[in-house]
């Protein structure tokens, strides 16, 4: 065992002692909101495949068609020879969905966020960057990569942001970053209020729509669609859209700048044809899925009502993401294990992903779930308490 192995063994043991060590476990999605793990099928309350598109035959068929016609890989980065007609067509389709002038497709949602902030700060050195305290880790990573100190505003608090923007009025530019649906809490930002604030303070507003795209807004277009003051909407194909990859929807001139300045775009191999095919099929299907969106909304209301009856805090959730906040790491792990014994998968989320003292089961509802599935989950939680 090397010195590094010894050191890492100690660090891993410390994580385990705090109930924070993590292990990847093999699993496979199954229809009807189910999951296969360890040879057993379970009701899946942890995957982000909100609309069930990951197993939709049209996505698989189009992915196979693109791969058969265009090959397994793209061959290069987008600025060398990696841009194909399929990339450009997908970007046009994303822009149309989001109501934007243009869009840029990147390898993942993480990469989109991580590459965006450095590119923006490169355009205006010294820009002040304001972030909601609960934004995704990829946004924090992007800020760190840009070398900026985040000015954090209280979660979903436009009044606090207003005061901070006024306090930093002398900055050469101001950038506000938030999410429309927060991934661990399932609550929504007041995007219209933030857009109005950004307009009043001449700030650039960036909204991460990873968990809203496909599920919320007109035709699944997200919560930024049609809202004045939103300059950039980021999203992914890996959640409700059932595939992989990320995008930034923005103005045409912003896209041109990102093509030239976003390192995650410039230096990464382009997405492969099969991934593009699946994304194209998902964007064709999503506008037609109002029934699934309505069903998801009803499931969320049913689950929040059940948790409230049990005295379990679901925070400010109003979406398909419903946290069951229990506090201590060991309590979240215990509940997750007990549910798995009953044939349900609900991942325990612990610090540093969430603040200390707010460990939880992050329950992700899917269109394949029934009201009976939700009732069974509530009953299992009641029995486990």
């Amino acid at each position: 065992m090397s010195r590094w192995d010894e050191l890492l063994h100690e660090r891993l043991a410390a994580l385990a002692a705090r109930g924070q060590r993590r292990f990847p476990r093999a699993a496979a999605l199954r229809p009807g909101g189910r999951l296969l793990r360890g040879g057993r099928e379970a009701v899946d309350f942890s995957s982000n495949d909100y609309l069930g598109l990951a197993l939709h035959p049209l996505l698989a068929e189009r992915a196979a068609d693109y791969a058969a016609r265009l090959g397994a890989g793209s061959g290069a980065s987008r600025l060398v020879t990696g841009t194909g007609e399929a990339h450009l067509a997908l970007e046009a389709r994303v822009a149309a969905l989001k109501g934007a002038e243009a869009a840029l497709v990147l390898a993942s949602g993480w990469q989109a966020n991580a590459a965006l902030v450095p590119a923006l700060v490169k355009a205006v050195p010294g820009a002040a960057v304001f972030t909601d305290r609960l934004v995704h880790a990829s946004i924090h990573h992007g800020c760190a990569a840009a070398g900026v100190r985040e000015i954090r505003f209280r979660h979903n608090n436009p009044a606090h942001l207003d005061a901070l923007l006024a306090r930093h009025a002398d900055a050469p530019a101001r950038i506000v970053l938030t999410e429309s649906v927060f991934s661990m809490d399932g609550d929504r930002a007041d995007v219209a209020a933030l857009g109005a604030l950004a307009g009043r303070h001449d700030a650039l507003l960036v909204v991460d729509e990873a968990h809203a795209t496909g599920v919320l807004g007109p035709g699944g277009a997200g919560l930024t669609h049609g809202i004045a003051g939103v300059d950039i909407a980021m999203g992914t194909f890996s959640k409700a859209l059932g595939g992989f990859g990320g995008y930034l929807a923005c103005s045409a001139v912003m896209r041109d700048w990102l093509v030239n300045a976003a390192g995650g775009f410039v230096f990464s191999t382009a997405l492969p044809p099969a991934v593009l095919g699946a994304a194209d099929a998902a964007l064709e299907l999503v506008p037609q899925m109002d029934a699934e969106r309505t069903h998801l909304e009803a499931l969320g209301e049913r689950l929040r009502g059940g948790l409230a009856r049990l005295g379990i805090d679901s925070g400010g959730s109003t979406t398909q993401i419903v946290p069951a906040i229990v506090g201590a790491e060991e309590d979240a792990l215990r509940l997750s294990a007990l549910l798995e014994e009953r044939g349900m998968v609900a991942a325990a989320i612990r610090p540093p992903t969430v603040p200390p003292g707010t460990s939880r089961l992050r329950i992700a509802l899917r269109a394949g779930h029934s009201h009976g599935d939700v009732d069974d989950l509530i009953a299992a939680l009641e029995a486990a308490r």
Side-chain angles (χ1 to χ4, degrees), residues 320-340:
Q320 75 282 2
I321 301 168
V322 184
I325 303 170
V326 296
E329 288 93 329
E330 55 269 26
D331 290 338
L333 289 167
R334 178 183 61 84
L335 275 179
S336 181
L338 288 171
L339 288 177
E340 188 156 1

Side-chain angles (χ1 to χ4, degrees), residues 5 16 43-44 81 174 191 210 227 256 351 358 367 369:
D5 285 345
V43 185
D44 175 19
T81 60
R174 285 163 293 177
V191 179
I227 301 297
D256 286 347
T358 69
H369 292 146

Side-chain angles (χ1 to χ4, degrees), residues 24-73:
R25 297 175 61 191
L29 293 178
R30 288 291 183 265
R34 267 54 182 173
L35 185 79
L36 187 65
R37 174 182 276 175
R40 294 179 58 201
E41 188 170 86
V43 185
D44 175 19
F45 290 111
S46 285
S47 299
N48 296 325
D49 181 30
Y50 303 128
L51 297 177
L53 289 179
L55 296 178
H56 196 287
L58 184 63
L59 271 70
E61 290 166 9
R62 196 159 298 172
D65 173 62
Y66 274 43
R69 290 189 295 108
L70 303 173

